[in-house]
């Protein structure tokens, strides 16, 4: 029987895709730490937006060039608190991600894809996170974490590294991420791209692309 599959591997981002949404996690942290949301949004735009400052602290953190403690110091210094008190730097990343938890719906989607013969990859920009490697080793054939390889999304080299480790051409891989820029970067080198909004829409988009029920 001929193999009519469009792709051989599906690659997922981690935070905000295989976990609960980052917006909910961030919102809880902003409230708990008393941080001005508008100031935080402006800082994220400056460090992660289309015209982001080159080699800014987030870029350096994600590639492993900036230690977590130093990033936290610089990050907290740029945040504005609603009380006027300084933001406590130590542990700020842990507090930011404290409410993030695995998405059972997305983990089930990964298992369903594996049962249908798809290889599974992970491509994640790390903010010094502790990843559940026991679970990822079970679910994923290839894991690429930015801080471990010195590269970051949406820069092309990290996608090339991913493809090398999968040993697949770009057109045989689909990439799922919640950030549009990261999806577009994958598409720019020939990968299929799906912007993750929620588990149901991602499952539907993959089913349409793969031409089979999921």
């Amino acid at each position: 029987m001929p193999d009519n599959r469009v792709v051989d591997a599906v690659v997922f981002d981690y935070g905000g895709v295989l976990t609960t949404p980052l917006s909910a996690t961030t919102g809880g942290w902003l409230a708990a730490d008393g941080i001005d949301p508008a100031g935080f949004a402006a800082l994220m735009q400056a460090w992660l937006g289309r015209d982001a400052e080159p080699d800014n602290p987030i870029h350096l953190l994600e590639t492993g060039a900036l230690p977590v403690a130093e990033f936290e110091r610089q990050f907290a210094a740029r945040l504005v608190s609603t009380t006027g008190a300084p933001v406590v730097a130590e542990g700020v990343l842990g507090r930011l991600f404290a409410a993030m938890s695995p998405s059972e719906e997305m983990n089930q989607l990964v298992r369903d894809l594996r049962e249908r013969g798809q290889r599974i990859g992970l491509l994640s920009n790390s903010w010094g996170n502790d990843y559940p490697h026991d679970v990822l080793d079970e679910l994923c054939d290839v894991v690429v974490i930015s801080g471990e390889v010195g590269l970051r999304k949406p820069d092309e080299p990290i996608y090339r590294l991913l493809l090398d480790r999968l040993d697949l051409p770009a057109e045989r891989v689909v990439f799922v991420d919640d950030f549009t820029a990261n999806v577009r970067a994958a598409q720019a080198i020939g990968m299929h791209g799906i912007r993750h909004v929620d588990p149901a829409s991602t499952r539907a988009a993959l089913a349409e692309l793969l031409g089979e029920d999921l």
Side-chain angles (χ1 to χ4, degrees), residues 46-95:
W47 286 356
L48 285 176
R50 184 186 299 272
D51 300 315
E53 303 166 9
D55 293 329
N56 68 67
I58 286 181
H59 291 188
L60 297 176
L61 174 70
E62 289 179 337
T63 59
L66 186 67
V68 168
E70 177 58 21
F71 172 81
E72 290 186 323
R73 187 189 68 76
Q74 295 185 34
F75 184 48
R78 292 282 295 268
L79 294 171
V80 178
S81 77
T82 55
T83 64
V87 175
V88 176
E90 185 177 359
V92 67
L93 286 182
R95 299 194 301 276

Side-chain angles (χ1 to χ4, degrees), residues 3 39 67 85 119 144 181 186:
D3 186 352
R119 296 175 65 197
V144 177

Side-chain angles (χ1 to χ4, degrees), residues 6 9 90 143 159:
V6 176
E90 185 177 359
V143 173
Y159 297 92

Side-chain angles (χ1 to χ4, degrees), residues 172-214:
R172 302 296 295 182
V173 180
V174 58
F175 178 57
V176 181
D177 197 293
D178 54 336
F179 281 85
T180 300
N182 295 340
V183 174
R184 288 177 176 167
Q187 292 171 323
I189 64 167
M191 298 169 67
H192 302 273
I194 294 173
R195 176 158 184 267
H196 177 78
V197 177
D198 55 61
S201 63
T202 293
R203 180 179 284 270
L206 281 168
E208 181 178 2
L209 176 62
L210 301 176
E212 59 181 289
D213 293 333
L214 278 176

